[in-house]
Every structure is written in structure tokens, then in C-alpha cells.
Amino acid sequence: ATGAALPPLTAASFVLADLDSGAILAARAPHARHRPASTIKVLTALAAVRDLDPDAVVAGTPEDMRTDGSKAGLGPGGQYTVRQLLAGLLLNSGNDTAAALARAHGGDAAMVARMDELAHELGALDTRPATPSGLDAPGLSSSAYDLALLYRVAMREPLFAETIATRSVAFP
């Protein structure tokens, strides 16, 4: 509510923005750069939604199973649509699905280049992607301002919005 005091906050940086207008309602160090971890997957998802056919099929690989961190459960030889990979990326924070989407996009370097291009195109100038999954790598950073901006843009993409509104999905 207008004029209401913020609750005690311990976050070093945050942005609270209106989803429709983008108006900043509250912020602390909005442009401070931090390691975004899996929240950078919003750029991976945007690249996939904008550039890949959601019904295209991507094969799982043994490397997907060996990916560090959280996984959706890709198996070698498994066949997954881009739509299914997006569900694993966004609902389970699957680093294996980030790897598969990057492969479908031409590989990690091509995906990171596209993520960087999208960040600049959208005005997310504090963002430096380094991996499709958000696993730590030299130079990886973003700000609370940029993440709020990127998620606002992503929510306008019907497939992204539909995917994150899904309560659960049977992942093959």
C-alpha cells in the first residue's frame, strides 16, 4: 500500500516492480551486480522461446546426466521436445535441460552469446551471462533491476508464462 513501511529486509539488493507497468515500487541497490545463479535461466528460456521450435525434439546425452547441480532427469537417448525442456528448466531449475537447450541452440558458446545479445537488446545492461544454467563461471553477474526487467519481458511470452503457471508436469 502507498506509504506502507517495508518489512525488515536483509537482502543486499532487491527490486519490487509492478509486472504490468514496470514501475519500481521499492528497491535497494538495484544495479549492484551479484552472481545470479539459476535466475539467469530466464535468459536461456527467452532465447529458447524466441529462437527454437517448441515441438522440435532434442536427444538427451550422457553429458546431460553428468551436469552439476539440479537436474530434471534427462537420460541418454531420451527424446525431449523444447517445450518439455523448458518445463524442466523453469519448474525444476534443471541444469541438464539448460545444457540440452544450449545444444539445440548451437552449443554453450552460441547460447551464451544469444543470452548476452538479448540482455543488451532488452536494456539489461548489468547482466553478463557466462553459462546457460547459471552455474558459476568467470564474469557471471546480473542485478536485481535486470532480473526484474528480464522476468517482466519473459512473462509476455505465452510459452514462458504458460510453463511457469504449470503446477506439475510428468517429465519423461
Side-chain angles (χ1 to χ4, degrees):
T2 303
L6 289 173
L9 300 169
T10 59
S13 178
F14 70 88
V15 167
L16 177 63
D18 182 88
L19 181 63
D20 296 320
S21 70
I24 305 297
L25 305 174
R28 175 184 293 155
H31 292 284
R33 288 188 181 162
H34 300 281
R35 301 242 186 232
S38 285
T39 59
I40 201 72
K41 286 180 173 118
V42 67
L43 274 174
T44 306
L46 276 170
V49 165
R50 290 183 172 192
D51 300 346
L52 300 174
D53 175 355
D55 297 314
V57 175
V58 180
T61 67
E63 291 78 23
D64 296 332
M65 290 180 61
R66 292 191 291 270
T67 302
D68 288 336
S70 59
K71 296 177 185 68
L74 296 188
Q79 301 291 309
Y80 308 93
T81 64
V82 167
R83 185 182 315 273
Q84 288 172 318
L85 294 172
L86 282 167
L89 179 80
L90 297 171
L91 301 180
N92 201 53
S93 192
N95 293 344
D96 53 353
T97 56
L101 287 167
R103 195 170 52 258
H105 206 282
D108 282 0
M111 178 61 93
V112 170
R114 179 64 171 131
M115 292 164 67
D116 190 52
E117 178 186 313
L118 277 171
H120 283 89
E121 174 187 309
L122 297 171
L125 304 179
D126 300 325
T127 298
R128 304 290 183 272
T131 64
S133 65
L135 286 172
D136 204 17
L140 178 66
S141 66
S142 191
S143 67
Y145 178 89
D146 282 7
L147 291 171
L149 169 77
L150 293 170
Y151 277 94
R152 181 171 175 247
V153 169
M155 286 300 294
R156 292 183 177 145
E157 296 285 349
L159 182 54
F160 182 94
E162 173 189 308
T163 301
I164 66 164
T166 303
R167 289 188 178 260
S168 67
V169 63
F171 197 82

